[in-house]
Amino acid sequence: KQPFGARPFALGQAYAALSDDIFALSYNPASLSRLRQSQAATQFTQSIADARMGYLGIASPLSPNQALGLSVKYLDLGKADIFDGNGNSVRTVTAQQDYEAQLGYAHAFFTTRGMLHLGTAGKVLQSAIADEARGAAYAADFGALYEIARRGDSFSMGLAVSNLGTRMKYTGGLASGSEADPLPLTTRLALGYVRNVFASDRVAMGA
């Protein structure tokens, strides 16, 4: 659920209707077909204590109405000390490491009033806790976006459902025998309006 990209982070869930770049893959895969050129993006975040997050994404139009995108994300919570019952340090482990790879595709269709974008993405998530407990999950995202352009203005409505898939179950170490947990199912419904100003700049509003 961690957002990446300064613009989508600022626009929040409204980006499901306003996205038009590589970061669209995380919010609404249908928006990939709004790309007009190939794009690549990367981001690194140093969070609290030793926590680090990273992102790498690439996307490219396959034709004027088709596009493909790929992204890789990771989370590293740094090192943690393991102590015995007497308070003595036994060993040092990696607290947690997560990796997610996502591949998405979108196709745009012309209608009598506007354009309908449909997209889907598959993802695989791998996680390891304390170098012992390991788990994996598989999921899919689905999205739709409808946009109407009139005299330089653009109205759009986006709907996306993320993380439809298997549960995450850790095995190994203290996690052996634990229950499986569902991935955070997320639904986004957004409205967007973009207006050209002075023929060179655009102002966007979303809800």
Side-chain angles (χ1 to χ4, degrees), residues 93-196:
V93 298
T94 300
Q96 182 174 345
Q97 278 188 330
D98 293 348
Y99 294 92
E100 181 194 277
Q102 186 176 24
L103 178 65
Y105 168 80
H107 195 293
F109 303 88
F110 291 96
T111 68
T112 55
R113 293 181 176 272
M115 184 172 290
L116 174 65
H117 304 261
L118 298 176
T120 184
K123 65 178 71 172
V124 56
L125 173 65
Q126 290 188 330
S127 178
I129 298 177
D131 295 335
E132 292 182 351
R134 299 181 182 277
Y138 307 88
D141 298 350
F142 300 94
L145 188 146
Y146 190 75
E147 61 176 335
I148 301 174
R150 291 289 184 274
R151 298 179 180 178
D153 296 352
S154 175
F155 301 88
S156 58
M157 180 174 67
L159 172 65
V161 179
S162 302
N163 298 322
L164 283 167
T166 64
R167 291 171 172 255
M168 172 69 79
K169 180 176 177 60
Y170 288 94
T171 58
L174 295 176
S176 297
S178 63
E179 297 183 358
D181 295 314
L183 297 178
L185 182 64
T186 304
T187 303
R188 300 180 176 94
L189 175 63
L191 300 174
Y193 171 69
V194 178
R195 180 177 180 83
N196 288 331

Side-chain angles (χ1 to χ4, degrees), residues 51-132:
R52 296 182 295 272
M53 293 175 290
Y55 172 90
L56 175 63
I58 56 174
S60 179
L62 302 177
S63 70
N65 59 347
Q66 298 182 78
L68 194 67
L70 172 68
S71 69
V72 178
K73 307 172 185 177
Y74 82 90
L75 168 70
D76 187 336
L77 294 185
K79 300 296 182 180
D81 293 324
I82 303 297
F83 298 89
D84 61 17
N86 297 320
N88 299 315
S89 178
V90 177
R91 59 193 174 96
T92 300
V93 298
T94 300
Q96 182 174 345
Q97 278 188 330
D98 293 348
Y99 294 92
E100 181 194 277
Q102 186 176 24
L103 178 65
Y105 168 80
H107 195 293
F109 303 88
F110 291 96
T111 68
T112 55
R113 293 181 176 272
M115 184 172 290
L116 174 65
H117 304 261
L118 298 176
T120 184
K123 65 178 71 172
V124 56
L125 173 65
Q126 290 188 330
S127 178
I129 298 177
D131 295 335
E132 292 182 351

